[in-house]
Amino acid sequence: MTEVKIVEDCAATAETAFAYVNDYRNLPRFISEIHEFTPVTDQIEGVGATFDGTIRLGPATLHSTIRVVRWEENVAIAVKSIKGFEIESTFLFHGKDDNQCTVDAIVEYRVGGGIAGRVLGKTIEPFVKIAVKHSTHNLTTQIAEFQASRQG
C-alpha cells in the first residue's frame, strides 16, 4: 500500500475536530475530490457504519464502499474499503490545550496488479498527495470555523 500522511495543527479542541469529521455530511466539504458520499446503512457513525463514495483524482474516477473500522470518541476515526478501490483512511485527533489540537490525516491506498495497476498508481499518486494536503488544510480551517460557531 502507498501511504500519505499529513499532520496539521488546528485552532479547536480535539472534541470539536472529532465531531466535525464524525458528521459524514462534512466529508465532501473538506475533500473537494469527493463527488458522492452516501450512507448505505441506517447506522451513520461508529464501527460498522458503511458508505458508498466516488472520488475523482486527476483523470481517474474511483468508486468504493467503505466501512468505519475504528471509532474512538474524540480520538480516532478510521475507514477501510470493503468493495472497489482499495483505500484506508484514518483521522487522529490529539488535544494540545483548550483551543488547540493536532489532526493526523493518513491515507493508504492500493491499486491492482499488472500493467494497468502500475499505470493507475503512477497516474493518481501525485493527485492523492495534493488532495490529502489540500483536504487536511480545508479540514483544519473548517474545524476552527465550526468551533467558533459553537462558542458564539
Side-chain angles (χ1 to χ4, degrees):
M1 284 200 137
T2 301
E3 178 183 290
V4 178
K5 180 177 181 179
I6 305 291
V7 177
E8 196 164 315
D9 288 337
C10 180
T13 64
E15 292 81 10
T16 298
F18 179 90
Y20 191 81
V21 173
N22 192 50
D23 184 342
Y24 77 91
R25 296 168 298 188
N26 290 328
L27 199 63
R29 293 181 184 142
F30 64 88
I31 303 176
S32 58
E33 293 79 11
I34 291 184
H35 289 272
E36 292 179 33
F37 194 76
T38 55
V40 295
T41 57
D42 289 337
Q43 180 183 349
I44 57 170
E45 69 176 31
V47 172
T50 306
F51 303 86
D52 274 338
T54 300
I55 190 166
R56 291 193 186 127
L57 296 168
T61 299
L62 307 166
H63 304 278
S64 289
T65 300
I66 62 168
R67 179 168 290 143
V68 176
V69 295
R70 180 178 176 193
W71 190 93
E72 296 174 53
E73 191 167 10
N74 303 327
V75 175
I77 298 173
V79 299
K80 182 177 183 177
S81 61
I82 58 172
K83 181 179 170 189
F85 178 65
E86 287 187 62
I87 189 164
E88 293 181 39
S89 297
T90 304
F91 290 95
L92 302 173
F93 310 95
H94 311 281
K96 294 175 86 174
D97 60 35
D98 289 344
N99 288 306
Q100 277 272 347
C101 71
T102 300
V103 177
D104 298 3
I106 306 156
V107 176
E108 297 178 84
Y109 65 94
R110 180 189 329 258
V111 294
I115 294 171
R118 285 194 298 277
V119 169
L120 177 60
K122 292 293 182 190
T123 301
I124 68 170
E125 184 175 4
F127 294 102
V128 171
K129 289 179 179 177
I130 291 167
V132 173
K133 184 171 178 57
H134 186 254
S135 297
T136 306
H137 176 74
N138 286 346
L139 175 61
T140 55
T141 301
Q142 291 171 22
I143 289 169
E145 292 167 358
F146 181 58
Q147 168 121 346
S149 73
R150 293 174 82 182
Q151 293 174 336

